[in-house]
Amino acid sequence: MSVKVDHPNAKTVWTTIDFSNGGMSTVVVVETDLALNVGDPKYDEKSIQELWEAAATQITDQHYAADVIRLVEIGRDA
């Protein structure tokens, strides 16, 4: 089952699993064109919050089980 996030700043969405501290977490990754670094002049906290809220609502509405929503900025090296 693939999860969908309908928001103008959600560009790609995928699911991954993180293993840490002996546990496993399902993570929904939302790739965005928003600047996510507070020091970036294009950083817009309101838009980021709106994207996160849209993702959280739509994930719940789709009955998808996710432990974490991770926003990732497009074009940034990890």
Side-chain angles (χ1 to χ4, degrees), residues 43-64:
Y43 179 81
D44 181 351
E45 185 174 350
K46 182 179 180 216
S47 293
I48 294 167
Q49 184 67 31
E50 289 171 353
L51 172 57
W52 182 87
E53 288 171 0
T57 298
Q58 292 173 35
I59 289 166
T60 299
D61 290 350
Q62 294 171 57
H63 306 287
Y64 197 84

Side-chain angles (χ1 to χ4, degrees), residues 11-77:
K11 302 305 177 185
T12 308
V13 180
W14 70 90
T15 305
T16 187
I17 295 179
D18 281 353
F19 294 92
S20 61
N21 300 326
M24 180 175 76
S25 300
T26 301
V27 181
V28 173
V29 180
V30 180
E31 197 171 39
T32 181
D33 57 356
L34 294 171
L36 300 178
N37 186 320
V38 177
D40 191 316
K42 295 179 185 173
Y43 179 81
D44 181 351
E45 185 174 350
K46 182 179 180 216
S47 293
I48 294 167
Q49 184 67 31
E50 289 171 353
L51 172 57
W52 182 87
E53 288 171 0
T57 298
Q58 292 173 35
I59 289 166
T60 299
D61 290 350
Q62 294 171 57
H63 306 287
Y64 197 84
D67 300 306
V68 176
I69 299 170
R70 180 172 295 138
L71 302 181
V72 177
E73 188 174 347
I74 292 172
R76 296 292 175 160
D77 295 330

